[in-house]
Amino acid sequence: MSAPLPALPSGASGFGLVEGWRGPIWHWLVAGEQNRLARVKIKDPSFANWPALHYAILKNIVPDFPLVNKSFNLSYARNDL
C-alpha cells in the first residue's frame, strides 16, 4: 500500500536501507527546488567490498586470482539492485 507524500522542502534529505542478496543497499537523496531530486546516491555492497579483494590477493600467485576473485562474488557492473 502506498500513500502520496507531501512536497519536500528544498534541502531535505532521506535515507533508506534495503537488504540485497550480497548485503545492504544504501539509498540517500536530497530534495531540490520544485519538488525534484537534487541529489541521489545508491551504494551497493560490492562497492564496499572491492577494496578488500586487493588485500586478499596480496602475496598470492597469479593462478590463484580467479578462485580468490570468485570467492568474493562481487558485481562487475555494480548492479546489485
Side-chain angles (χ1 to χ4, degrees):
M1 185 172 151
S2 65
L5 295 174
L8 295 172
S10 180
S13 64
F15 177 78
L17 179 65
V18 180
E19 186 66 28
W21 69 280
R22 283 187 173 102
I25 302 170
W26 306 75
H27 301 78
W28 174 72
L29 45 96
V30 176
E33 299 292 329
Q34 299 176 352
N35 210 28
R36 294 180 180 227
L37 295 176
R39 208 165 152 112
V40 176
K41 171 73 175 171
I42 301 173
K43 184 177 150 249
D44 67 6
S46 289
F47 180 78
N49 292 327
W50 272 109
L53 179 63
H54 168 74
Y55 292 104
I57 61 174
L58 289 176
K59 298 185 180 179
N60 278 308
I61 59 175
V62 173
D64 285 345
F65 176 75
L67 179 63
V68 174
N69 185 30
K70 280 303 176 190
S71 69
F72 277 78
N73 195 23
L74 300 175
S75 171
Y76 293 100
R78 293 184 56 201
N79 190 11
D80 288 337
L81 311 176

